């Protein structure tokens, strides 16, 4: 028994997840609709993830704010870059999701009737939030969003209000920078808390293969493979949107820095490969820095800001995914998100991506905050678990590419003068 357990644990998580999917499919086909109860543990897992989401985001932001030093003159440019890249990511994500409509593919008539009935119920519960938006002017929408600012210190943690968590974390981070007599010591205390919550997340993530087994069995048992067609469309849509975001970075680099896209890919491919294989932008960070500084020969300050600050605040791939996933779930439930609600998705996805720690599956964690913010049911996000590990690799690659883009643009139109490497020679052509 111990031997089997040890063997099982020694397999990489993605392999265990695939095994879970395969067994789940067989169980679903065998048990039919009876397999529905197997999805229950999944809802418990989502609850646990929801519990961890706010503290992980909170400590990640406070830690990022108190442990990063940005040289004064560069701050406005850096903020502009981070914000515009993230907005581009979310706009691309929402556009692709609205065009492809992955959540509306292959819905059987019977299911469509069920979904419409459920949607009607949910629409009622969303009505309160929507009513104010009905005749909403832009100012009303703004107030609607500002209304999510925290009213008590613990409030955002108990009601999963992502905007509240972010605002609180930012205020605390800035305040600590002002009052802390020993900032590095304070930063290490905050890091201990952050690491502790991340350790808890790792425990929960170990359960994912079993949860996937249950979710897949319940889905296959009830609906056959129809919902997987939707899921497949989501995978296609997310990968297409991430590819567009990558092209956007390359264009920006081409226009706003001395680096050419070909050169960047050649010199930094190790970091991109590592991002894909580890699904962790934080684990990749040292290699990202090394590629930018030693291979590409960016100025030290640009490489630093891109890799270190970027890895903390800049998770465009995650932002894009959260926005698309929220829209996907709304489409699955047959709910139309109006402009104001999509605006809330934009804000929350931005905020959640800042709070996403650069570790595997943290996007899944912070997604619970985005769904809660727009009032979408968390149960539907269970469906994403079977494909999340796979999409995580792609979005991590984009997170790291985003950091590289920031570093290159910060480095400006001219390379550092004293370069003698082949990198600089090819770039000056
Ligand atoms: N795994 C991603 C990263 O490390 C975060 C996410 O889950 O989206 O950047």
């Amino acid at each position: 028994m111990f031997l089997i357990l040890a063997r099982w644990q020694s397999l990489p998580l993605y392999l265990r997840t695939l095994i879970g999917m395969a067994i789940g499919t067989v169980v679903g086909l065998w048990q039919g609709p009876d397999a529905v109860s197997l999805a229950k543990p999944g809802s418990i897992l989502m609850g646990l993830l929801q519990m961890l989401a706010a503290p992980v985001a909170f400590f990640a932001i406070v830690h990022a704010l108190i442990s990063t030093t940005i040289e004064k003159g560069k701050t406005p440019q850096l903020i502009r870059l981070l914000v515009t890249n993230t907005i581009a990511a979310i706009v691309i994500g929402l556009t692709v999701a609205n065009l492809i409509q992955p959540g509306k593919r292959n819905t059987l008539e019977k299911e469509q009737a069920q979904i419409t009935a459920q949607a009607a119920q949910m629409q009622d519960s969303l009505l309160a939030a929507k009513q104010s938006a009905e005749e909403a002017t832009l100012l009303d929408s703004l107030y609607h969003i500002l209304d999510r600012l925290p009213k008590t210190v613990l409030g955002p943690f108990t009601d999963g209000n992502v905007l509240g968590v972010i605002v609180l974390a930012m205020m605390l981070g800035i305040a600590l920078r002002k009052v802390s007599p020993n900032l590095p010591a304070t930063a290490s205390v905050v890091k201990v808390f952050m690491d502790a919550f991340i350790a808890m997340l790792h425990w929960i993530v170990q359960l994912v293969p079993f949860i996937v087994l249950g979710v897949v069995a319940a889905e296959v048992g009830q609906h056959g493979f129809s919902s997987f067609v939707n899921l497949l469309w989501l995978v296609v849509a997310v990968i297409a949107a991430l590819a567009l975001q990558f092209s956007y970075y390359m264009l920006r680099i081409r226009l706003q820095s001395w680096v050419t896209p070909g050169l960047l890919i050649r010199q930094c491919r190790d970091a991109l490969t590592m991002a894909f294989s580890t699904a962790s932008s934080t684990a990749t960070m040292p290699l990202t820095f090394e590629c930018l500084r030693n291979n590409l020969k960016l100025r030290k300050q640009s490489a630093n800001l891109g890799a270190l600050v970027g890895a903390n605040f800049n998770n465009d791939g995650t932002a894009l995914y959260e926005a698309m996933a929220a829209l996907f779930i709304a489409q699955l439930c047959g709910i139309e998100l109006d402009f104001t609600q999509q605006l809330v998705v934009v804000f929350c996805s931005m905020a959640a991506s800042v709070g996403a720690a650069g570790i595997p599956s943290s996007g899944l964690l912070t997604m619970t905050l985005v769904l809660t913010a727009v009032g979408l049911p968390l149960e539907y996000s269970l469906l994403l678990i079977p494909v999340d590990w796979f999409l995580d690799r792609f979005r991590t690659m984009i997170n790291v590419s985003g950091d590289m883009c920031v570093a290159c643009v910060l480095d400006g139109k001219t390379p550092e003068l004293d370069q003698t490497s082949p990198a600089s020679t090819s770039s000056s052509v």
Side-chain angles (χ1 to χ4, degrees), residues 275 278-284 311 314-315 317-319 321-322 356-366 388 391-393 395-397 399-400:
T278 58
S280 167
S281 44
T282 300
T284 313
N314 195 26
N315 291 312
T318 306
Y321 175 67
E322 317 250 291
I359 53 167
S361 300
S362 74
L364 186 65
L365 189 80
T366 45
D388 185 76
L391 292 176
D392 194 4
R393 291 162 189 267
R395 59 181 194 253
T396 307
M397 236 165 86
N399 288 345
V400 171

Side-chain angles (χ1 to χ4, degrees), residues 41-364:
S43 317
I44 298 170
L45 175 99
M46 287 318 288
L48 287 171
L49 286 179
Q50 202 183 6
M51 168 191 82
L52 291 183
V56 169
F58 179 80
F59 286 114
I61 293 174
V62 176
H63 181 256
L65 274 173
I66 60 180
S67 60
T68 12
T69 0
I70 304 174
E71 282 178 38
K72 270 214 170 97
K74 288 280 178 190
T75 314
Q77 192 191 1
L78 182 67
I79 294 178
R80 243 193 341 266
L81 265 168
L82 295 180
V83 171
T84 46
N85 280 356
T86 310
I87 290 180
I90 297 176
V91 169
I92 290 176
L94 288 179
T95 309
V96 173
N98 276 311
L99 285 178
I100 298 187
Q101 307 238 335
K104 286 190 179 164
R105 302 272 167 172
N106 192 48
T107 317
L108 302 176
E109 257 174 53
K110 203 175 90 210
E111 287 165 20
Q112 185 62 58
Q114 274 177 9
I115 285 173
T116 318
Q118 284 173 4
Q121 277 176 8
M122 273 177 234
Q123 210 92 37
D124 280 348
S125 62
L126 281 177
L127 210 66
K130 268 185 108 182
Q131 253 160 7
S132 56
E134 300 274 83
E135 325 91 42
T137 62
L138 205 62
L139 198 67
D140 291 333
S141 309
L142 195 69
Y143 283 142
H144 185 61
I145 290 164
L146 288 179
D147 207 31
R148 287 163 196 272
L149 290 176
K151 296 181 178 61
T152 61
V153 171
L154 291 182
F157 294 93
T158 51
D159 55 24
N161 165 8
V162 62
L163 228 53
V165 172
I166 309 295
V167 168
L168 207 64
M170 290 205 156
M171 286 172 73
L172 182 65
I174 295 168
L176 281 174
R177 283 193 86 103
K178 278 201 176 313
V179 303
S180 172
N182 185 345
L183 211 52
T186 314
S188 40
V189 173
V190 174
K191 188 164 185 318
V192 170
F193 280 102
M194 182 174 94
D195 288 347
F197 278 101
I198 289 177
M200 289 188 236
L201 173 65
H202 281 149
W203 299 337
I204 294 173
V205 165
Q206 296 307 310
L207 300 174
V208 162
F210 302 103
I211 304 297
V212 164
L213 190 159
V215 171
V216 171
E219 266 312 303
V220 173
Q222 285 186 98
H223 308 121
F225 292 96
S226 64
S227 25
F228 292 99
V229 174
N230 284 324
L231 218 50
L232 221 63
W233 275 104
L234 176 73
V235 171
V236 170
V238 171
I239 293 180
L242 290 172
L244 283 175
Q245 178 70 9
F246 188 75
S247 315
Y248 159 85
Y249 289 144
M250 292 304 122
L251 187 70
R252 191 156 196 182
I253 289 172
R254 186 75 195 87
L255 296 176
Q256 297 186 322
S257 83
W258 62 267
V259 180
T260 60
L263 181 69
L264 176 87
I265 294 171
R266 271 199 306 284
Q267 303 300 335
C268 298
R269 63 183 157 213
D270 288 350
L272 293 173
T273 317
M274 184 171 173
F276 187 80
S277 52
T278 58
S280 167
S281 44
T282 300
T284 313
M285 190 173 72
L287 189 58
T288 310
F289 176 77
E290 205 181 294
C291 288
L292 290 172
R293 176 68 185 146
N294 298 343
N295 299 359
L296 200 54
K297 308 282 180 207
L298 295 189
R299 290 167 183 85
K300 188 162 182 216
Q301 192 202 17
S302 321
N304 232 329
L305 284 176
L308 308 185
V309 179
N312 280 323
F313 290 105
N314 195 26
N315 291 312
D316 301 336
T318 306
L320 179 151
Y321 175 67
E322 317 250 291
M324 287 188 85
L327 219 66
F328 172 73
I329 290 175
Q331 288 166 358
L332 268 187
C333 308
I335 292 176
E336 292 292 334
L337 294 182
D338 61 19
F339 178 71
T340 316
Q341 285 168 312
Q342 293 211 14
L343 209 65
V344 174
V345 171
V346 171
F347 269 101
C348 293
S349 305
M350 273 178 87
S353 73
V354 175
I359 53 167
S361 300
S362 74
L364 186 65

